[in-house]
PDB file of all heavy atoms in Angstrom:
ATOM      1  N   MET E 161     144.506 119.027 144.777  1.00 95.00           N
ATOM      2  CA  MET E 161     145.103 119.875 145.823  1.00 95.00           C
ATOM      3  C   MET E 161     144.009 120.135 146.910  1.00 95.00           C
ATOM      4  O   MET E 161     142.875 120.445 146.586  1.00 95.00           O
ATOM      5  CB  MET E 161     145.316 121.205 144.919  1.00 95.00           C
ATOM      6  CG  MET E 161     145.441 122.402 145.541  1.00 95.00           C
ATOM      7  SD  MET E 161     146.066 123.310 144.121  1.00 95.00           S
ATOM      8  CE  MET E 161     146.199 124.934 144.916  1.00 95.00           C
ATOM      9  N   LEU E 163     143.224 121.949 150.216  1.00 95.00           N
ATOM     10  CA  LEU E 163     143.390 122.984 151.139  1.00 95.00           C
ATOM     11  C   LEU E 163     142.119 123.190 151.969  1.00 95.00           C
ATOM     12  O   LEU E 163     142.124 123.256 153.197  1.00 95.00           O
ATOM     13  CB  LEU E 163     143.816 124.277 150.427  1.00 95.00           C
ATOM     14  CG  LEU E 163     145.140 124.446 149.766  1.00 95.00           C
ATOM     15  CD1 LEU E 163     145.176 124.017 148.403  1.00 95.00           C
ATOM     16  CD2 LEU E 163     145.394 126.057 149.639  1.00 95.00           C
ATOM     17  N   THR E 164     141.012 123.420 151.255  1.00 97.00           N
ATOM     18  CA  THR E 164     139.839 124.029 151.785  1.00 97.00           C
ATOM     19  C   THR E 164     139.128 123.062 152.818  1.00 97.00           C
ATOM     20  O   THR E 164     139.050 121.784 152.602  1.00 97.00           O
ATOM     21  CB  THR E 164     138.851 124.344 150.615  1.00 97.00           C
ATOM     22  OG1 THR E 164     139.590 125.160 149.797  1.00 97.00           O
ATOM     23  CG2 THR E 164     137.620 125.141 151.208  1.00 97.00           C
ATOM     24  N   GLY E 169     138.658 128.664 154.419  1.00 95.00           N
ATOM     25  CA  GLY E 169     138.593 129.008 152.769  1.00 95.00           C
ATOM     26  C   GLY E 169     139.796 129.866 152.565  1.00 95.00           C
ATOM     27  O   GLY E 169     140.917 129.360 152.387  1.00 95.00           O
ATOM     28  N   SER E 170     139.452 131.202 152.391  1.00 95.00           N
ATOM     29  CA  SER E 170     140.640 132.083 152.162  1.00 95.00           C
ATOM     30  C   SER E 170     141.613 132.056 153.307  1.00 95.00           C
ATOM     31  O   SER E 170     142.681 132.303 153.067  1.00 95.00           O
ATOM     32  CB  SER E 170     139.890 133.538 152.148  1.00 95.00           C
ATOM     33  OG  SER E 170     139.146 133.623 151.009  1.00 95.00           O
ATOM     34  N   TYR E 195     134.967 120.811 148.703  1.00 98.00           N
ATOM     35  CA  TYR E 195     135.396 121.507 147.360  1.00 98.00           C
ATOM     36  C   TYR E 195     136.529 121.024 146.630  1.00 98.00           C
ATOM     37  O   TYR E 195     137.322 121.808 145.981  1.00 98.00           O
ATOM     38  CB  TYR E 195     135.470 123.059 147.522  1.00 98.00           C
ATOM     39  CG  TYR E 195     134.323 123.798 148.061  1.00 98.00           C
ATOM     40  CD1 TYR E 195     134.580 124.929 148.687  1.00 98.00           C
ATOM     41  CD2 TYR E 195     133.058 123.374 148.027  1.00 98.00           C
ATOM     42  CE1 TYR E 195     133.478 125.738 149.180  1.00 98.00           C
ATOM     43  CE2 TYR E 195     132.055 124.039 148.577  1.00 98.00           C
ATOM     44  CZ  TYR E 195     132.190 125.258 149.116  1.00 98.00           C
ATOM     45  OH  TYR E 195     131.239 125.972 149.669  1.00 98.00           O
ATOM     46  N   THR E 197     138.499 119.549 143.691  1.00 98.00           N
ATOM     47  CA  THR E 197     138.344 119.262 142.425  1.00 98.00           C
ATOM     48  C   THR E 197     138.964 117.911 141.775  1.00 98.00           C
ATOM     49  O   THR E 197     140.039 117.759 142.250  1.00 98.00           O
ATOM     50  CB  THR E 197     138.920 120.434 141.592  1.00 98.00           C
ATOM     51  OG1 THR E 197     138.184 121.636 141.976  1.00 98.00           O
ATOM     52  CG2 THR E 197     138.877 120.349 140.042  1.00 98.00           C
ATOM     53  N   TYR E 423     137.852 130.310 142.955  1.00 97.00           N
ATOM     54  CA  TYR E 423     138.973 129.297 143.393  1.00 97.00           C
ATOM     55  C   TYR E 423     140.395 129.749 143.087  1.00 97.00           C
ATOM     56  O   TYR E 423     140.540 130.797 142.450  1.00 97.00           O
ATOM     57  CB  TYR E 423     138.558 127.940 142.916  1.00 97.00           C
ATOM     58  CG  TYR E 423     138.476 127.597 141.417  1.00 97.00           C
ATOM     59  CD1 TYR E 423     139.364 128.230 140.461  1.00 97.00           C
ATOM     60  CD2 TYR E 423     137.690 126.578 141.033  1.00 97.00           C
ATOM     61  CE1 TYR E 423     139.358 127.786 139.195  1.00 97.00           C
ATOM     62  CE2 TYR E 423     137.657 126.183 139.743  1.00 97.00           C
ATOM     63  CZ  TYR E 423     138.409 126.724 138.753  1.00 97.00           C
ATOM     64  OH  TYR E 423     138.465 126.354 137.486  1.00 97.00           O
ATOM     65  N   THR E 426     140.523 133.915 145.878  1.00 98.00           N
ATOM     66  CA  THR E 426     139.509 134.740 145.204  1.00 98.00           C
ATOM     67  C   THR E 426     140.214 135.906 144.575  1.00 98.00           C
ATOM     68  O   THR E 426     141.339 136.218 144.930  1.00 98.00           O
ATOM     69  CB  THR E 426     138.485 135.251 146.182  1.00 98.00           C
ATOM     70  OG1 THR E 426     139.170 136.144 147.265  1.00 98.00           O
ATOM     71  CG2 THR E 426     137.794 134.202 147.025  1.00 98.00           C
ATOM     72  N   MET E 432     144.887 141.741 147.062  1.00 98.00           N
ATOM     73  CA  MET E 432     145.557 142.103 148.320  1.00 98.00           C
ATOM     74  C   MET E 432     146.969 141.515 148.265  1.00 98.00           C
ATOM     75  O   MET E 432     147.920 142.122 148.772  1.00 98.00           O
ATOM     76  CB  MET E 432     144.768 141.402 149.361  1.00 98.00           C
ATOM     77  CG  MET E 432     143.536 142.033 149.768  1.00 98.00           C
ATOM     78  SD  MET E 432     142.402 140.992 150.777  1.00 98.00           S
ATOM     79  CE  MET E 432     143.269 140.838 152.233  1.00 98.00           C
TER      80      MET E 432
HETATM   81  C1  FAD O   1     134.111 124.576 142.075  1.00 62.62           C
HETATM   82  C2  FAD O   1     135.114 124.798 143.092  1.00 62.62           C
HETATM   83  C3  FAD O   1     136.305 124.015 143.080  1.00 62.62           C
HETATM   84  C4  FAD O   1     137.288 124.184 144.000  1.00 62.62           C
HETATM   85  N1  FAD O   1     138.338 123.329 144.002  1.00 62.62           N
HETATM   86  C5  FAD O   1     139.149 123.408 144.984  1.00 62.62           C
HETATM   87  C6  FAD O   1     140.319 122.467 145.117  1.00 62.62           C
HETATM   88  O1  FAD O   1     140.536 121.668 144.176  1.00 62.62           O
HETATM   89  N2  FAD O   1     140.927 122.400 146.261  1.00 62.62           N
HETATM   90  C7  FAD O   1     140.776 123.185 147.333  1.00 62.62           C
HETATM   91  O2  FAD O   1     141.487 123.167 148.230  1.00 62.62           O
HETATM   92  N3  FAD O   1     139.826 124.162 147.263  1.00 62.62           N
HETATM   93  C8  FAD O   1     138.958 124.218 146.244  1.00 62.62           C
HETATM   94  N4  FAD O   1     137.904 125.163 146.108  1.00 62.62           N
HETATM   95  C9  FAD O   1     137.800 126.067 147.127  1.00 62.62           C
HETATM   96  C10 FAD O   1     138.032 127.510 146.853  1.00 62.62           C
HETATM   97  O3  FAD O   1     139.451 127.587 146.684  1.00 62.62           O
HETATM   98  C11 FAD O   1     137.475 128.464 147.991  1.00 62.62           C
HETATM   99  O4  FAD O   1     136.070 128.424 147.761  1.00 62.62           O
HETATM  100  C12 FAD O   1     138.091 129.762 147.963  1.00 62.62           C
HETATM  101  O5  FAD O   1     139.344 129.766 148.398  1.00 62.62           O
HETATM  102  C13 FAD O   1     137.339 130.750 148.828  1.00 62.62           C
HETATM  103  O6  FAD O   1     136.944 130.272 150.121  1.00 62.62           O
HETATM  104  P1  FAD O   1     135.538 130.232 150.760  1.00 62.62           P
HETATM  105  O7  FAD O   1     134.704 129.594 149.735  1.00 62.62           O
HETATM  106  O8  FAD O   1     135.597 129.744 152.038  1.00 62.62           O
HETATM  107  O9  FAD O   1     135.170 131.710 150.789  1.00 62.62           O
HETATM  108  P2  FAD O   1     135.491 132.822 151.908  1.00 62.62           P
HETATM  109  O10 FAD O   1     136.879 132.674 152.264  1.00 62.62           O
HETATM  110  O11 FAD O   1     134.517 132.653 152.939  1.00 62.62           O
HETATM  111  O12 FAD O   1     135.422 134.147 151.130  1.00 62.62           O
HETATM  112  C14 FAD O   1     134.035 134.894 150.977  1.00 62.62           C
HETATM  113  C15 FAD O   1     134.315 136.291 150.466  1.00 62.62           C
HETATM  114  O13 FAD O   1     135.082 137.028 151.429  1.00 62.62           O
HETATM  115  C16 FAD O   1     136.212 137.489 150.837  1.00 62.62           C
HETATM  116  N5  FAD O   1     137.347 137.424 151.861  1.00 62.62           N
HETATM  117  C17 FAD O   1     137.642 136.368 152.668  1.00 62.62           C
HETATM  118  N6  FAD O   1     138.693 136.636 153.437  1.00 62.62           N
HETATM  119  C18 FAD O   1     139.014 137.871 153.278  1.00 62.62           C
HETATM  120  C19 FAD O   1     140.104 138.795 153.679  1.00 62.62           C
HETATM  121  N7  FAD O   1     141.108 138.502 154.662  1.00 62.62           N
HETATM  122  N8  FAD O   1     140.153 139.985 153.115  1.00 62.62           N
HETATM  123  C20 FAD O   1     139.275 140.412 152.134  1.00 62.62           C
HETATM  124  N9  FAD O   1     138.374 139.638 151.684  1.00 62.62           N
HETATM  125  C21 FAD O   1     138.246 138.393 152.253  1.00 62.62           C
HETATM  126  C22 FAD O   1     136.617 136.655 149.684  1.00 62.62           C
HETATM  127  O14 FAD O   1     137.352 137.324 148.664  1.00 62.62           O
HETATM  128  C23 FAD O   1     135.242 136.306 149.261  1.00 62.62           C
HETATM  129  O15 FAD O   1     134.703 137.364 148.314  1.00 62.62           O
HETATM  130  C24 FAD O   1     137.005 125.068 145.066  1.00 62.62           C
HETATM  131  C25 FAD O   1     135.757 125.788 145.086  1.00 62.62           C
HETATM  132  C26 FAD O   1     134.768 125.661 144.111  1.00 62.62           C
HETATM  133  C27 FAD O   1     133.618 126.394 144.250  1.00 62.62           C
END
Side-chain angles (χ1 to χ4, degrees):
M161 163 166 176
L163 289 80
T164 309
S170 301
Y195 300 156
T197 297
Y423 62 31
T426 64
M432 289 163 65

